[in-house]
Amino acid sequence: MRILVTGGAGFIGSNFVHHLVAHTDHTVTVLDKLSYAGDRRSIDVLPAERVSLVVGDILDAPLVERLFAEHDAVVHFAAESHNDNSLADPRPFVDTNLVGTYTLLEAARRSGIRFHHISTDEVYGDLELDDPARFTESTPYNPSSPYSSTKAGSDLLVRAWVRSFGVRATISNCSNNYGPYQHVEKFIPRQITNVLRGGRPKLYGTGENVRDWIHADDHSAAVLTILERGRVGETYLIGADGEKSNREVVELILTELGQPADAYDLVTDRPGHDLRYAIDSSKLRAELGWAPRFVDFAAGLADTIAWYREHEDWWAPQKGATEAKYAAAGQG
Ligand code: NAD
Ligand code: DAU
């Protein structure tokens, strides 16, 4: 197959392209505008006969139409992805996540291409810390932030284009990813690189908020499974039973890097900060037989720490500007 991957120079998109090269014979075209979050070096290491990069915007309808005509399937990762940025300036989130997804769906409607839409568990809002419930495919949408509301809107567009126009689409909503090639603005890389630079991790609020962690390679395997065997029109939740409080994650990072487990700072909380996410991925596991490989979070985190230690050349160019932004927001 010829697969078009939007946002394939970003964190999860590039991990997915690496996964396709390692586990399939498909050829891959990445469509990515190389925003601050995209980095061609994340895919440059892959063989040129398998992977090519088109630098362009998903809002560019003629470009999208041309690329759809040349491919068998599209996996749509491209997005503005960071909650904190969406609180500072929501506009790019509306443009890329809503209008960009609309642009792709209109092209899919005309070309008939198989379409997989990547989304997030944040569309479901948050859970109490002691709530035994987890998100399922039938949990009502209740997004909190500009980021998650634009992702929720994009999911609803996909559902409408399936029902109204017969677009052959599936949707997946995944929990928090960790692994190589993640931008240093995000929680885990920010704390690892702070400590590697001799600084301290920064926990929002009290650090009690819980995220449900999954390795990006497990996410990639799940997406490939859905692309190959998922039922058109269906939504699948992806998660690896990885609930941890932010404080627990920081303590693991500090310990792995030989620092006292309490050598962190508490900083200004994120406005509207979702308390807890938790995914029930039974449908994906039972229907399509997917299971995560990275079941030991501490081991996966140690691999990720080692990757950031060995790839300072990859993350160093973004670190200064990212920390300056956090400092200006009182979170430095
Ligand atoms: P990221 O910010 O690391 O990467 C996004 C990529 O999209 C970048 O390469 C960027 O250049 C590109 N992009 C942005 N706007 C574009 C546009 N208009 N046209 C073309 N390319 C554009 O994001 P990520 O963390 O890899 O997330 C990828 C997808 O996965 C997103 O849809 C996100 O909502 C979803 N998701 C992320 C997580 C997570 O934990 N990071 C979890 C669940 C779902
Ligand atoms: O749940 C899936 C979502 O996970 C994705 O849809 C988003 O694209 C992705 O960015 C992620 O969103 P979060 O807001 O959960 O991720 P972030 O890395 O920004 O923060 C994780 C948690 O850590 C959150 O509770 C906020 C907290 N945090 C974050 C930063 C950057 C801190 O305590 N300190 C920090 O410095």
Side-chain angles (χ1 to χ4, degrees), residues 278-306:
I279 287 267
D280 176 348
S281 58
S282 313
K283 176 178 172 183
L284 175 64
R285 293 172 192 241
E287 197 177 293
L288 302 182
W290 170 85
R293 266 190 333 115
F294 290 82
V295 285
D296 180 346
F297 176 73
L301 184 63
D303 288 352
T304 304
I305 291 170

Short mmCIF file of all heavy atoms in Angstrom, two decimals, residues 278-306:
data_model
loop_
_atom_site.label_atom_id
_atom_site.label_comp_id
_atom_site.label_asym_id
_atom_site.label_seq_id
_atom_site.Cartn_x
_atom_site.Cartn_y
_atom_site.Cartn_z
N ALA A 278 -8.40 7.85 32.08
CA ALA A 278 -8.21 6.39 32.18
C ALA A 278 -8.99 5.72 31.06
O ALA A 278 -10.17 6.00 30.87
CB ALA A 278 -8.69 5.89 33.53
N ILE A 279 -8.30 4.85 30.34
CA ILE A 279 -8.89 4.23 29.13
C ILE A 279 -9.22 2.76 29.37
O ILE A 279 -8.40 2.01 29.91
CB ILE A 279 -7.85 4.29 27.98
CG1 ILE A 279 -7.71 5.71 27.44
CG2 ILE A 279 -8.19 3.31 26.88
CD1 ILE A 279 -8.58 6.04 26.26
N ASP A 280 -10.41 2.36 28.92
CA ASP A 280 -10.77 0.94 28.84
C ASP A 280 -10.66 0.55 27.37
O ASP A 280 -11.49 0.94 26.55
CB ASP A 280 -12.20 0.76 29.36
CG ASP A 280 -12.69 -0.67 29.23
OD1 ASP A 280 -12.01 -1.48 28.54
OD2 ASP A 280 -13.76 -0.98 29.80
N SER A 281 -9.61 -0.21 27.03
CA SER A 281 -9.38 -0.56 25.62
C SER A 281 -9.87 -1.97 25.28
O SER A 281 -9.38 -2.61 24.34
CB SER A 281 -7.90 -0.42 25.27
OG SER A 281 -7.12 -1.23 26.11
N SER A 282 -10.88 -2.48 26.04
CA SER A 282 -11.36 -3.86 25.83
C SER A 282 -11.84 -4.09 24.41
O SER A 282 -11.63 -5.16 23.84
CB SER A 282 -12.54 -4.18 26.74
OG SER A 282 -12.31 -3.78 28.02
N LYS A 283 -12.49 -3.10 23.80
CA LYS A 283 -13.06 -3.32 22.45
C LYS A 283 -11.94 -3.64 21.46
O LYS A 283 -12.02 -4.60 20.69
CB LYS A 283 -13.83 -2.08 22.01
CG LYS A 283 -14.37 -2.17 20.59
CD LYS A 283 -15.16 -0.93 20.20
CE LYS A 283 -15.53 -0.94 18.73
NZ LYS A 283 -16.23 0.27 18.32
N LEU A 284 -10.89 -2.82 21.48
CA LEU A 284 -9.77 -3.02 20.55
C LEU A 284 -9.10 -4.37 20.80
O LEU A 284 -8.75 -5.10 19.87
CB LEU A 284 -8.77 -1.88 20.75
CG LEU A 284 -7.46 -1.95 19.98
CD1 LEU A 284 -7.71 -1.87 18.48
CD2 LEU A 284 -6.53 -0.82 20.41
N ARG A 285 -8.93 -4.72 22.07
CA ARG A 285 -8.25 -5.97 22.41
C ARG A 285 -9.10 -7.18 21.99
O ARG A 285 -8.60 -8.13 21.39
CB ARG A 285 -7.95 -6.03 23.91
CG ARG A 285 -6.93 -4.98 24.36
CD ARG A 285 -6.83 -4.95 25.88
NE ARG A 285 -6.10 -3.80 26.35
CZ ARG A 285 -4.97 -3.85 27.07
NH1 ARG A 285 -4.44 -5.00 27.39
NH2 ARG A 285 -4.37 -2.75 27.47
N ALA A 286 -10.42 -7.13 22.30
CA ALA A 286 -11.28 -8.29 22.02
C ALA A 286 -11.58 -8.42 20.53
O ALA A 286 -11.51 -9.50 19.96
CB ALA A 286 -12.58 -8.16 22.81
N GLU A 287 -11.86 -7.28 19.87
CA GLU A 287 -12.30 -7.35 18.47
C GLU A 287 -11.15 -7.54 17.50
O GLU A 287 -11.25 -8.28 16.54
CB GLU A 287 -13.06 -6.06 18.14
CG GLU A 287 -13.90 -6.16 16.90
CD GLU A 287 -14.68 -4.87 16.65
OE1 GLU A 287 -15.58 -4.54 17.45
OE2 GLU A 287 -14.38 -4.21 15.65
N LEU A 288 -10.02 -6.87 17.77
CA LEU A 288 -8.92 -6.89 16.79
C LEU A 288 -7.66 -7.57 17.33
O LEU A 288 -6.66 -7.67 16.61
CB LEU A 288 -8.60 -5.45 16.34
CG LEU A 288 -9.77 -4.67 15.72
CD1 LEU A 288 -9.31 -3.29 15.27
CD2 LEU A 288 -10.39 -5.42 14.54
N GLY A 289 -7.68 -8.02 18.57
CA GLY A 289 -6.56 -8.82 19.10
C GLY A 289 -5.30 -8.03 19.40
O GLY A 289 -4.23 -8.61 19.56
N TRP A 290 -5.42 -6.70 19.53
CA TRP A 290 -4.23 -5.90 19.86
C TRP A 290 -3.92 -6.00 21.36
O TRP A 290 -4.83 -6.11 22.18
CB TRP A 290 -4.47 -4.43 19.50
CG TRP A 290 -3.41 -3.50 20.01
CD1 TRP A 290 -2.23 -3.20 19.42
CD2 TRP A 290 -3.43 -2.77 21.25
NE1 TRP A 290 -1.51 -2.32 20.20
CE2 TRP A 290 -2.22 -2.04 21.33
CE3 TRP A 290 -4.35 -2.66 22.31
CZ2 TRP A 290 -1.90 -1.21 22.42
CZ3 TRP A 290 -4.03 -1.84 23.39
CH2 TRP A 290 -2.82 -1.12 23.43
N ALA A 291 -2.63 -5.97 21.70
CA ALA A 291 -2.22 -5.87 23.12
C ALA A 291 -0.92 -5.07 23.16
O ALA A 291 -0.10 -5.16 22.24
CB ALA A 291 -2.01 -7.25 23.73
N PRO A 292 -0.72 -4.28 24.22
CA PRO A 292 0.53 -3.51 24.31
C PRO A 292 1.73 -4.41 24.60
O PRO A 292 1.59 -5.44 25.27
CB PRO A 292 0.27 -2.56 25.49
CG PRO A 292 -0.80 -3.21 26.31
CD PRO A 292 -1.62 -4.03 25.37
N ARG A 293 2.91 -4.01 24.10
CA ARG A 293 4.16 -4.72 24.37
C ARG A 293 4.90 -4.12 25.56
O ARG A 293 5.57 -4.79 26.30
CB ARG A 293 5.08 -4.62 23.14
CG ARG A 293 4.98 -5.77 22.16
CD ARG A 293 6.06 -5.75 21.09
NE ARG A 293 6.61 -4.46 20.76
CZ ARG A 293 7.89 -4.11 20.99
NH1 ARG A 293 8.72 -4.92 21.57
NH2 ARG A 293 8.32 -2.91 20.62
N PHE A 294 4.76 -2.77 25.70
CA PHE A 294 5.47 -2.07 26.79
C PHE A 294 4.56 -2.06 28.03
O PHE A 294 3.84 -1.11 28.26
CB PHE A 294 5.81 -0.63 26.38
CG PHE A 294 6.85 -0.54 25.32
CD1 PHE A 294 6.52 -0.69 23.98
CD2 PHE A 294 8.19 -0.30 25.64
CE1 PHE A 294 7.49 -0.60 22.99
CE2 PHE A 294 9.17 -0.21 24.66
CZ PHE A 294 8.81 -0.37 23.33
N VAL A 295 4.59 -3.17 28.79
CA VAL A 295 3.69 -3.25 29.94
C VAL A 295 4.38 -2.80 31.23
O VAL A 295 3.73 -2.59 32.24
CB VAL A 295 3.10 -4.67 30.10
CG1 VAL A 295 2.04 -4.92 29.06
CG2 VAL A 295 4.18 -5.73 30.01
N ASP A 296 5.71 -2.64 31.18
CA ASP A 296 6.46 -2.17 32.35
C ASP A 296 6.81 -0.70 32.13
O ASP A 296 7.77 -0.37 31.42
CB ASP A 296 7.72 -3.04 32.50
CG ASP A 296 8.58 -2.63 33.69
OD1 ASP A 296 8.36 -1.53 34.24
OD2 ASP A 296 9.47 -3.40 34.06
N PHE A 297 6.00 0.20 32.73
CA PHE A 297 6.17 1.63 32.49
C PHE A 297 7.57 2.10 32.90
O PHE A 297 8.21 2.87 32.17
CB PHE A 297 5.10 2.43 33.23
CG PHE A 297 5.27 3.92 33.09
CD1 PHE A 297 4.98 4.57 31.89
CD2 PHE A 297 5.75 4.69 34.15
CE1 PHE A 297 5.16 5.95 31.75
CE2 PHE A 297 5.94 6.07 34.01
CZ PHE A 297 5.64 6.69 32.81
N ALA A 298 8.05 1.64 34.05
CA ALA A 298 9.37 2.11 34.52
C ALA A 298 10.46 1.74 33.52
O ALA A 298 11.39 2.53 33.27
CB ALA A 298 9.67 1.52 35.90
N ALA A 299 10.35 0.55 32.91
CA ALA A 299 11.37 0.12 31.92
C ALA A 299 11.26 0.96 30.65
O ALA A 299 12.27 1.40 30.09
CB ALA A 299 11.20 -1.36 31.62
N GLY A 300 10.03 1.21 30.19
CA GLY A 300 9.84 2.04 28.99
C GLY A 300 10.32 3.46 29.23
O GLY A 300 10.91 4.10 28.34
N LEU A 301 10.09 3.96 30.45
CA LEU A 301 10.54 5.31 30.80
C LEU A 301 12.07 5.36 30.83
O LEU A 301 12.68 6.33 30.34
CB LEU A 301 9.95 5.71 32.16
CG LEU A 301 10.23 7.13 32.63
CD1 LEU A 301 9.60 8.16 31.70
CD2 LEU A 301 9.70 7.33 34.06
N ALA A 302 12.69 4.31 31.36
CA ALA A 302 14.17 4.28 31.40
C ALA A 302 14.74 4.29 29.98
O ALA A 302 15.72 5.00 29.70
CB ALA A 302 14.64 3.04 32.17
N ASP A 303 14.12 3.55 29.05
CA ASP A 303 14.54 3.58 27.63
C ASP A 303 14.42 5.00 27.07
O ASP A 303 15.27 5.46 26.31
CB ASP A 303 13.64 2.69 26.75
CG ASP A 303 13.88 1.22 27.00
OD1 ASP A 303 14.83 0.88 27.71
OD2 ASP A 303 13.06 0.42 26.47
N THR A 304 13.32 5.66 27.42
CA THR A 304 13.06 7.01 26.91
C THR A 304 14.09 7.99 27.47
O THR A 304 14.61 8.85 26.74
CB THR A 304 11.62 7.44 27.27
OG1 THR A 304 10.73 6.45 26.75
CG2 THR A 304 11.27 8.79 26.69
N ILE A 305 14.39 7.86 28.75
CA ILE A 305 15.42 8.71 29.37
C ILE A 305 16.75 8.50 28.66
O ILE A 305 17.47 9.47 28.33
CB ILE A 305 15.53 8.41 30.88
CG1 ILE A 305 14.25 8.87 31.60
CG2 ILE A 305 16.78 9.06 31.49
CD1 ILE A 305 14.14 8.42 33.05
N ALA A 306 17.08 7.23 28.37
CA ALA A 306 18.35 6.94 27.68
C ALA A 306 18.36 7.59 26.30
O ALA A 306 19.38 8.14 25.86
CB ALA A 306 18.54 5.42 27.57
#
